[in-house]
Amino acid sequence: MRYSLLDLAPVPEGFTAADALRNTGDLARHAEAWGYHRYWLAEHHNMPGIASAATAVLVGHVAGLTQRMRVGAGGIMLPNHAPLAVAEAFGTLATLYPGRIDLGLGRAPGGDGAVMRALGVLPERGEQFHVEVAELRELLGPQVAGRAVRALPGEGTAVPLWILGSSLHGAQVAAMLGLPYAFASHFAPQMLEQAFEVYRRYFRPSEALERPHAMMAINVFAAETEAEARRLRTTMQQAFYRLRTGMPGKLPAPVDDLSAVVPAGAMPALDAALQVSAVGDPAQVAAQLRDLIARYQPDEVILTGQIWDHGARLRSFEIAAGAMAGLGQGAALETQTG
């Protein structure tokens, strides 16, 4: 099974956006060497702890630092942009890096009301998501005689489109348009099984895809010991709690005692939101990844994890890559001997 990596270009406390972008480049180079198939970056705005707001720019940067790995957006929030502008940006990327660029699309604003006003986004744009995805696909498709507006570069590049989602809406759009689907189970897992079922049941084959292809996101916090892995995880737990309580900031350092910074009453909701996670030493992470894949039956997985220390983040993704490669070898052996 292919395994990929989702990077939000986190800005840790005590560091700057420049540090975060250097870390992203370093992680991408390592990820390619570790066998990651895709490296995706996500659009967020007005968030001090995330440096991937200009997502297309960062996609180009990462593609330029790597050789083979696919690089893309996971995703671009389409209501924030005119489809033509997205087609031109990703058409340019696909022209520079042919066969390596992905374009994941979401309908969320990627920010609050103030961000939407600053971007000039109309709230009703989200209701036209499926229409605008179809328009974008046409702009990236073959030349059509008489078309008044063309994406140049972009036309004819056929950049692969993915639909992203954390509810049933994205599953329905992906099924209707015959596109691959990625579910944000790393922070909103409650509807994962239902979304996959809806997507697969109603999928319509298209020129882009003959059969459904569903990807799930999994948080990974891996270290040499379970205790260290659980300590690493406290960074994301703190960050998620702060975000949900209206206090977003830079990525906090890990703590020995999470209860000292996150109220006990907040933990059930936090645990529910982050339940699709693999946490522990290499053996534990491999077992947990195997169990998650067996339960949800994705066609592909994308791994993520907000970790404060860059060296620890590298090691976590290295352990995760080894676990996924091992699972693949085990499945191949079972097939041969079954």
Side-chain angles (χ1 to χ4, degrees), residues 74-133:
I76 292 293
M77 301 299 105
L78 191 54
N80 293 348
H81 312 275
L84 175 62
V86 177
E88 290 171 338
F90 278 80
T92 300
L93 288 167
T95 302
L96 289 168
Y97 307 103
R100 295 185 56 208
I101 301 299
D102 294 330
L103 175 51
L105 300 165
R107 67 189 286 260
D112 57 18
V115 167
M116 294 176 69
R117 289 189 293 273
L119 290 170
V121 176
L122 299 175
E124 57 267 27
R125 281 283 302 280
E127 300 306 315
Q128 296 300 310
F129 179 64
H130 64 291
V131 176
E132 295 191 349
V133 172

Side-chain angles (χ1 to χ4, degrees), residues 170-254:
Q172 293 165 342
V173 172
M176 177 180 66
L177 297 178
L179 294 174
Y181 178 55
F183 193 87
S185 38
H186 60 303
F187 70 87
Q190 286 73 21
M191 302 187 76
L192 172 59
E193 287 179 286
Q194 189 177 359
F196 274 10
E197 194 276 332
V198 166
Y199 169 62
R200 287 168 171 151
R201 177 188 295 181
Y202 296 106
F203 180 84
R204 301 176 184 173
S206 69
E207 293 181 1
L209 200 62
E210 293 183 357
R211 59 181 63 88
H213 188 89
M215 178 161 67
M216 67 179 289
I218 304 174
N219 296 299
V220 174
F221 303 92
E224 306 309 322
T225 68
E226 179 183 359
E228 179 57 20
R230 293 194 174 280
R231 185 174 185 275
L232 294 178
R233 190 189 188 198
T234 63
T235 285
M236 188 165 183
Q237 291 170 310
Q238 292 177 79
F240 203 79
Y241 168 71
R242 293 180 185 182
L243 179 63
R244 287 291 177 92
T245 54
M247 300 182 295
K250 291 186 176 182
L251 197 64

Side-chain angles (χ1 to χ4, degrees), residues 305-323:
Q306 300 286 73
I307 294 175
W308 180 82
D309 179 77
H310 180 58
R313 187 165 73 130
L314 289 175
R315 180 58 180 145
S316 180
F317 281 122
E318 181 182 18
I319 290 172

